[in-house]
Amino acid sequence: MGWNTYNHYSCSPNEAIVKSNAQALVDLGLLAKGYNFVTVDCGWTLPARLANGSITWSPTLFPSGYFALGQFLHARGLKFGVYSDSGIQMCMTGSPTQVGSLADALTFASWGADMIKFDNCYSEASAGYPNTDFTPPTSPSARFSNMSAAIAATGRPIVYAICEWGVDFPSAWAPTIGNSWRIGNDIIPSFGTVARILNQAISQTSFAGPGHWLDLDMLEVGNNVFTAAEEQTHFTMWAIVKSPLMIGGRLSDTAGSITSSSLNILLNSDVIGYNQDSLGVAASFVRRFTSAGYEIWSGPLSGSRNVVAVINLSNVATSLTLNLPDVGLQKAASVKNIWNAATSTNVLTSYTGSVAAHGTMLLELSGTTVAGKYVVADAVTSGTTTAFSHVYGATTGNAYTCVITFSHSSATATAVTVNSVVHSLPANTLTLSILISLTASNANTVVIVSSITPSVLTIAAPASTLYPSTSFALVGTASRTTCSSGLCAPVGSKVGYLSSTGSATLSVTAPSTAIAGSKYATVYFINNDIAISTSWTTGTNTRNMTISVNGVVTRIEVPLSGKSSELFSAGLGWQDTGLFGVLLPGWTTGSNAVVVTNTAGGLVDYAADFVGLSVVW
């Protein structure tokens, strides 16, 4: 946590700017909340090294010098972050040459540095050292590993922030050499950049953990480029994914200061607490409702709590509902709505709240029970009738396993009626296991009539059936690829080039006992269309896919699925499978015509690659 010069001042920092913003960390209460690193990014050096080869500061920009700057920060309880580069120059032309000297680690340590941000500009010799090279012939990892060793050799505890821009999937190698690593290209002053970065983080959250974190880039909170709701979303997601919280906005200088609205967002103790939680588990992507324009992320917290973010991606304010079973829960004794400053108790199955355009419903859930478990205390009992309401069904089906646990047994068999169907509870038995029907809804009711009162109702979803892409017939531009061993799981091959003129089709026969209705499905997809050069403009890190069931079309927008190097791994990340859950309408009994394609178009004509479709009947 801390503050960095770059987002607001670009490569034009100076001593006055750094000191005024550093003092503001103290005066505004930010240091007390944990924002303790002050990092001077690019632009601090002389154009060339000293005669002895040492790197040094610009005396014009920093007349007191870097050692004195470190002392200034340390005297206020702050930590000193410095910036360098793994190439021959820093990320602005000519300052200085031959910057990537490993001896610089010793120099920085002698100045009292507590953090080193190590960048990736002007680093590719084979291409003539361009400012950026997103397709280098060899991995940049060796340069970053060398600096890691140099930092360790200084004997000073220094946080190492790797800034490789996600060129060679640093999540695969950076955790062993650094404390954080940038997963993608720079954040830009447009709200679309938040979604773009999150779509890149989705496949990588499992790589994060104590001491090594995904870096989603510096915060734009306070730079007056987002609405208040957008700033809340931005801050929320960086915090729960456990990204470093490095403020990139102006806190205080001669031109002005941060607004109270932005400051209060940065000071929110709950959100900071989620970021710094001792459990150290990054929240992960759960589900996206593409047509409705929202998505859900969730993660565990210490103290048996959970944090959930429901993001309104649409341009209008709306009311959004979280179905607790989507995040593995059924009930919460307490649901704290952070940004609405409201707390609800004994929340069963679902929670609904109003969310501003591009805003987020951020929830802390505690006192929870696992999904599928309903207790009699939450039911309504009248005589021999007990009604469990708010029962969740992920899919419309008649093969849900329902286990009823009764308060006591009887010496004789007992008739039990469940939703008008009569069953028999054997003598001297506490549990009855049956199959029931539910719709895809959070408002089902299970009515039990029995002389013995039920105490617990446990419901499990029906089994799913996987329809691999190898079973689908191909039309038009669509083509099939056999993947490297162990990839394109669980099928081993995929279908690509799905477009408005290319599709994969299959006639799916429903199980003989199945009923018609919307079915929950898991799409096994592959998308490694990474927005690096396009991140400054139209890049989203997503692709569309449309799935038609008996002519009823559903569009999904899937994130990146890559979990390996897009430059050097087998399949180049285009054989790493992702999972996307979606409720597909249109299913009927008997034969169902399923078509996977991309009639929706988008920034890219082709859909994500298709591995298979799993349907919960």
Side-chain angles (χ1 to χ4, degrees):
M1 296 176 64
W3 178 84
N4 181 291
T5 57
Y6 183 75
N7 280 9
H8 190 81
Y9 301 100
S10 189
C11 290
S12 301
N14 62 50
E15 185 173 317
I17 285 170
V18 174
K19 286 185 174 180
S20 63
N21 280 278
Q23 188 63 49
L25 285 173
V26 178
D27 297 342
L28 297 176
L30 289 159
L31 173 60
K33 294 289 187 177
Y35 296 93
N36 57 355
F37 282 97
V38 174
T39 300
V40 185
D41 214 287
C42 54
W44 62 272
T45 56
L46 281 175
R49 290 177 176 270
L50 298 177
N52 65 2
S54 296
I55 194 170
T56 192
W57 60 87
S58 164
T60 301
L61 299 175
F62 294 90
S64 300
Y66 252 41
F67 181 77
L69 181 60
Q71 289 183 314
F72 173 89
L73 297 174
H74 291 152
R76 285 155 179 77
L78 298 165
K79 295 184 178 182
F80 185 21
V82 300
Y83 166 93
S84 192
D85 193 280
S86 64
I88 63 166
Q89 297 175 184
M90 294 187 188
C91 290
M92 65 288 181
T93 302
S95 300
T97 57
Q98 299 297 328
V99 72
S101 170
L102 301 183
D104 293 344
L106 283 172
T107 300
F108 297 148
S110 72
W111 295 342
D114 303 295
M115 173 189 284
I116 295 176
K117 174 184 174 181
F118 206 47
D119 219 331
N120 196 33
C121 291
Y122 300 102
S123 57
E124 184 48 54
S126 66
Y129 297 108
N131 184 8
T132 59
D133 189 334
F134 299 131
T135 57
T138 58
S139 173
S141 61
R143 297 193 302 274
F144 290 92
S145 182
N146 288 340
M147 179 53 79
S148 178
I151 291 171
T154 68
R156 180 177 176 82
I158 296 175
V159 173
Y160 184 31
I162 295 170
C163 187
E164 186 259 11
W165 324 316
V167 170
D168 181 34
F169 199 77
S171 286
W173 48 265
T176 60
I177 63 171
N179 301 110
S180 68
W181 58 95
R182 280 273 301 280
I183 65 167
N185 214 338
D186 291 2
I187 193 170
I188 60 175
S190 168
F191 183 70
T193 195
V194 172
R196 184 255 296 172
I197 292 171
L198 291 175
N199 279 312
Q200 192 157 10
I202 285 172
S203 65
Q204 302 186 49
T205 53
S206 62
F207 292 90
H212 49 273
W213 309 106
L214 307 182
D215 183 356
L216 307 190
D217 207 356
M218 279 89 72
L219 294 164
E220 287 284 2
V221 178
N223 271 331
N224 300 321
V225 294
F226 296 161
T227 67
E230 290 170 346
E231 287 194 337
Q232 289 174 350
T233 293
H234 175 28
F235 188 59
T236 290
M237 297 311 300
W238 267 232
I240 68 173
V241 175
K242 305 296 192 289
S243 173
L245 298 180
M246 300 301 293
I247 301 168
R250 176 185 60 201
L251 297 175
S252 179
D253 63 18
T254 56
S257 59
I258 190 170
T259 66
S260 59
S261 173
S262 295
L263 178 61
N264 287 335
I265 290 171
L266 294 171
L267 287 171
N268 189 287
S269 296
D270 290 307
V271 185
I272 293 171
Y274 305 147
N275 180 257
Q276 299 291 305
D277 185 71
S278 60
L279 198 61
V281 178
S284 58
F285 173 79
V286 175
R287 192 169 176 182
R288 174 174 295 158
F289 298 82
T290 304
S291 60
Y294 71 101
E295 67 187 40
I296 301 170
W297 291 64
S298 178
L301 298 171
S302 59
S304 300
R305 299 169 298 144
N306 293 80
V307 62
V308 178
V310 184
I311 309 173
N312 179 13
L313 300 171
S314 71
N315 297 326
V316 295
T318 189
S319 178
L320 294 177
T321 295
L322 168 70
N323 288 318
L324 271 63
D326 279 343
V327 296
L329 305 173
Q330 195 63 57
K331 182 182 177 181
S334 172
V335 175
K336 187 176 182 180
N337 189 324
I338 303 304
W339 297 120
N340 284 359
T343 299
S344 301
T345 58
N346 296 321
V347 175
L348 179 65
T349 305
S350 64
Y351 178 91
T352 300
S354 58
V355 189
H358 296 170
T360 290
M361 183 165 67
L362 177 61
L363 308 175
E364 179 188 321
L365 291 77
S366 58
T368 58
T369 57
V370 68
K373 182 179 180 180
Y374 305 82
V375 297
V376 70
D378 296 319
V380 175
T381 299
S382 177
T384 59
T385 300
T386 302
F388 291 86
S389 59
H390 304 292
V391 174
Y392 180 75
T395 196
T396 298
N398 59 358
Y400 283 86
T401 299
C402 175
V403 178
I404 307 169
T405 301
F406 292 87
S407 58
H408 63 276
S409 62
S410 173
T412 60
T414 304
V416 179
T417 302
V418 182
N419 286 354
S420 302
V421 178
V422 180
H423 305 271
S424 179
L425 175 68
N428 302 312
T429 303
L430 284 174
T431 61
L432 175 66
S433 181
I434 60 175
L435 297 179
I436 64 172
S437 298
L438 297 175
T439 61
S441 165
N442 60 20
N444 292 283
T445 300
V446 176
V447 179
I448 301 171
V449 181
S450 171
S451 59
I452 305 176
T453 303
S455 57
V456 178
L457 181 70
T458 305
I459 297 176
S464 62
T465 302
L466 174 64
Y467 300 92
S469 58
T470 49
S471 299
F472 284 68
L474 305 188
V475 177
T477 59
S479 65
R480 200 181 316 276
T481 299
T482 299
C483 300
S484 301
S485 177
L487 298 180
C488 297
V491 175
S493 67
K494 64 175 184 174
V495 174
Y497 298 101
L498 297 165
S499 67
S500 59
T501 58
S503 60
T505 66
L506 180 66
S507 178
V508 175
T509 301
S512 59
T513 57
I515 59 176
S518 298
K519 307 295 181 184
Y520 182 82
T522 299
V523 181
Y524 293 75
F525 74 94
I526 294 174
N527 171 33
N528 207 41
D529 191 3
I530 301 171
I532 296 185
S533 59
T534 61
S535 64
W536 306 100
T537 52
T538 59
T540 64
N541 288 319
T542 65
R543 281 197 179 185
N544 281 320
M545 177 183 284
T546 51
I547 304 169
S548 169
V549 179
N550 297 319
V552 181
V553 178
T554 300
R555 180 180 72 89
I556 61 175
E557 184 180 5
V558 301
L560 296 180
S561 63
K563 290 191 174 185
S564 58
S565 173
E566 55 269 33
L567 299 176
F568 310 112
S569 69
L572 305 180
W574 276 101
Q575 296 182 10
D576 300 336
T577 304
L579 306 180
F580 191 97
V582 60
L583 189 66
L584 296 177
W587 297 92
T588 186
T589 57
S591 179
N592 294 270
V594 177
V595 181
V596 180
T597 183
N598 184 25
T599 58
L603 295 174
V604 179
D605 290 335
Y606 294 116
D609 293 348
F610 175 60
V611 176
L613 181 71
S614 180
V615 180
V616 179
W617 291 102

